[in-house]
Amino acid sequence: MKDSLLDKMTRDFEVSVKQMRQIKAAMGKEMDAGLCGGKSSLAMLQAYCDAASGKEKGFYPALDLGGTNFRVMMVKIFGGGRKPKVVAEAKYKLTREQISGAGDVLFGAIAGYLKKFMKENKFTAEYGMGYTFSFPVKLLGIDEGILMRWTKDFSATGVVGKKVVELQRQAMAALGLNNVNVVALANDTVGTLQTQAVVDPNCVMGVILGTGFNICVRVASRRIRKGVGKYHGKCMIINMEAGNFNKALPLTAYDRQLDKESGNRGGQLAEKMISGKYLPQLVRLIVVDLVKKEKLFAGRVPEIFRHKDTFQAFYMDVLESGSEKEVGKLAKQIFGRVLTVEERLVLVLVCHAIARRSARIAAALISGALTRVEKRSKNKVAVAIDGSLFEKYPGYHRMLEEAISEIEGVKGKGISLKLTKDGSGIGAAVIAAVVSKAD
Ligand code: GLC
């Protein structure tokens, strides 16, 4: 195969240090505009809490909704800066009907799973619960918020513009679930920051690099010009909804095509270049182009690439760094045969270029966000990161770290990236504890 198109693709997906610095600068400006309630691609949503002190204690249940896997857990929080422990946990897979049917069906299903979980584990006391709801929610206070729009292919009807906790409470009451009350509503980025903050006083930023992408930051309350309501703390965490960032991004023809075919055209542009939901879709678009123009796969588009969502992020991991045996097994499963050396090489190059670009754009946005954070000490700044892309994608952590060093011009520059597993779920319980202590 001629390598011209492949060469061009790899070149187009490279993000230079100059471009990363431009993205970083644009990020700072968009943050300022969003904090003032001005025109910005960043919603900069108030989370109505500050980072946890580490002194909080108790047992708190948590709901974690952010993708098709929905989780319920009971978390023990020890105080004394110790890591919280998940004492019971259940995962449920939501059906298409639940995520895209009537809102009542979604909230009813969640209430049903919660009831089952409490009963099976004999949790009969009264509990204040944390609810991680990882979509753009405009909070009205710590325990209520309005869904602005759905992202990540959720589309349950009758929820946008409504108070989500009220809907959840109604569904719980309808099932007679009376010993649990939602006391805190949070985004998964905020939960991740809080989970790390309990053990690490330097943590001032939470990032999700998984199915979706987003960042939250701790800022001084006086800089939030659009108001903080009855909140009295000196600093507040802000859910930036950074996935919607759309300035200075090096969009390619493939990105434009992906956006055009998406359910939320023009929205979530950064997320579409960074997160695990979209990277496999980019692989698909490029491979299809290579099949057509350069006769890859003998000029026939393999079945797995014929539809939008069948090629998964997990396949990219295996193709890029799996053993000979793993790749062979996967190829049989998804292509129905082993790959030729050339086919495999092309797939590796495509996956790598896309994942590397994702890490470099994410690095630029993290660096940009860091310019506006309110530190908790003079020490290093810790960035809590959760999500399968960061945790599992081969080399992602390293690429992210290297790109940050390139942007900052100094190795490390006092920034440490901390994998914060299960941050989104545990963090909701931590916020419930913070709120309960404040009462
Ligand atoms: C999407 C959501 C955002 C969430 C992110 C990661 O971008 O809009 O709220 O934090 O996904 O799950």
Side-chain angles (χ1 to χ4, degrees):
M1 188 176 89
K2 287 181 290 167
D3 58 3
S4 56
L5 184 59
L6 194 59
D7 272 354
K8 181 175 175 335
M9 185 280 301
T10 345
R11 260 197 325 274
D12 287 351
F13 274 71
E14 184 56 35
V15 188
S16 67
V17 177
K18 189 173 166 208
Q19 282 171 313
M20 290 194 286
R21 290 191 179 143
Q22 282 163 350
I23 298 172
K24 173 182 172 177
M27 181 72 158
K29 285 190 188 146
E30 287 287 279
M31 288 174 79
D32 293 342
L35 283 172
C36 297
K39 195 170 171 294
S40 169
S41 59
L42 298 172
M44 304 301 283
L45 302 168
Q46 296 95 320
Y48 293 98
C49 58
D50 192 2
S53 66
K55 292 186 188 134
E56 301 78 9
K57 270 186 187 172
F59 281 92
Y60 294 88
L63 295 183
D64 184 6
L65 176 73
T68 44
N69 284 323
F70 158 76
R71 288 194 307 173
V72 187
M73 50 177 83
M74 180 63 83
V75 183
K76 183 171 184 191
I77 304 171
F78 298 96
R82 274 174 68 195
K83 198 172 162 203
K85 188 173 170 205
V86 177
V87 293
E89 184 187 6
K91 255 188 212 162
Y92 306 98
K93 197 162 174 59
L94 295 171
T95 62
R96 183 122 291 278
E97 202 214 338
Q98 287 161 347
I99 66 171
S100 51
D104 298 355
V105 175
L106 175 65
F107 290 104
I110 294 171
Y113 289 137
L114 175 62
K115 186 172 175 186
K116 183 166 173 258
F117 173 82
M118 299 302 279
K119 192 164 166 221
E120 279 174 5
N121 290 286
K122 303 193 176 58
F123 294 133
T124 49
E126 302 266 316
Y127 296 99
M129 179 173 71
Y131 194 173
T132 301
F133 197 89
S134 307
F135 299 95
V137 169
K138 185 172 165 44
L139 290 200
L140 304 170
I142 189 64
D143 64 350
E144 189 53 282
I146 293 176
L147 180 67
M148 299 165 68
R149 58 180 191 277
W150 284 118
T151 47
K152 298 176 286 194
D153 276 357
F154 269 61
S155 58
T157 55
V159 191
V160 173
K162 298 274 168 53
K163 293 180 177 167
V164 291
V165 174
E166 192 172 291
L167 293 175
Q168 192 59 70
R169 281 195 186 124
Q170 282 165 1
M172 283 157 61
L175 295 183
L177 184 58
N178 300 320
N179 64 326
V180 188
N181 185 25
V182 181
V183 296
L185 178 64
N187 184 256
D188 51 358
T189 51
V190 181
T192 300
L193 185 158
Q194 295 291 23
T195 305
Q196 185 63 29
V198 167
V199 294
D200 183 347
N202 298 323
C203 183
V204 284
M205 182 183 295
V207 180
I208 299 290
L209 280 163
T211 308
F213 159 72
N214 191 8
I215 301 178
C216 76
V217 281
R218 177 180 193 253
V219 302
S221 301
R222 69 182 145 75
R223 301 195 52 214
I224 310 170
R225 296 285 164 77
K226 56 187 179 183
V228 293
K230 290 185 188 134
Y231 182 81
H232 296 299
K234 281 207 173 104
C235 291
M236 193 195 268
I237 298 168
I238 296 286
N239 162 20
M240 299 175 55
E241 285 299 322
N244 198 47
F245 179 81
N246 64 9
K247 298 284 176 299
L249 294 173
L251 291 162
T252 65
Y254 300 112
D255 297 297
R256 292 183 210 284
Q257 191 179 345
L258 183 151
D259 180 48
K260 204 165 135 198
E261 291 170 6
S262 72
N264 54 349
R265 200 168 169 184
Q268 303 297 107
L269 288 189
E271 184 163 75
K272 285 171 182 162
M273 299 173 95
I274 294 175
S275 86
K277 170 158 185 53
Y278 300 101
L279 301 190
Q281 294 185 23
L282 284 170
V283 175
R284 169 181 171 255
L285 294 177
I286 295 171
V287 170
V288 170
D289 209 21
L290 288 169
V291 168
K292 285 193 191 138
K293 296 187 182 142
E294 310 256 350
K295 301 281 174 272
L296 180 68
F297 286 109
R300 290 202 51 208
V301 178
E303 186 59 31
I304 188 97
F305 291 122
R306 284 183 195 259
H307 312 280
K308 199 166 107 183
D309 278 322
T310 40
F311 187 74
Q312 310 282 314
F314 162 70
Y315 302 156
M316 293 174 66
D317 299 11
V318 178
L319 287 170
E320 223 197 287
S321 71
S323 65
E324 209 55 44
K325 209 170 146 200
E326 285 163 340
V327 176
K329 200 169 151 214
L330 178 73
K332 282 225 173 94
Q333 183 199 327
I334 63 175
F335 299 113
R337 63 166 171 84
V338 284
L339 296 170
T340 65
V341 173
E342 186 194 41
E343 286 163 352
R344 174 158 183 209
L345 185 67
V346 172
L347 286 174
V348 168
L349 289 175
V350 171
C351 293
H352 183 71
I354 291 172
R356 181 175 152 85
R357 186 185 70 161
S358 154
R360 292 175 80 78
I361 297 176
L365 296 176
I366 291 172
S367 290
L370 278 170
T371 58
R372 303 296 193 271
V373 292
E374 199 64 26
K375 288 191 186 180
R376 294 173 81 193
S377 69
K378 287 208 183 75
N379 297 338
K380 270 192 158 195
V381 165
V383 177
I385 313 186
D386 194 7
S388 47
L389 195 59
F390 180 72
E391 186 189 347
K392 304 211 175 106
Y393 199 91
Y396 198 94
H397 190 145
R398 183 186 36 81
M399 290 189 289
L400 192 64
E401 239 161 26
E402 276 172 11
I404 293 177
S405 301
E406 285 176 42
I407 300 166
E408 302 297 335
V410 199
K411 196 163 186 315
K413 210 208 162 194
I415 303 160
S416 63
L417 307 181
K418 304 273 189 190
L419 173 65
T420 310
K421 277 200 194 181
D422 289 337
S424 56
I426 296 174
V430 172
I431 304 171
V434 171
V435 173
S436 306
K437 199 186 79 180
D439 283 346

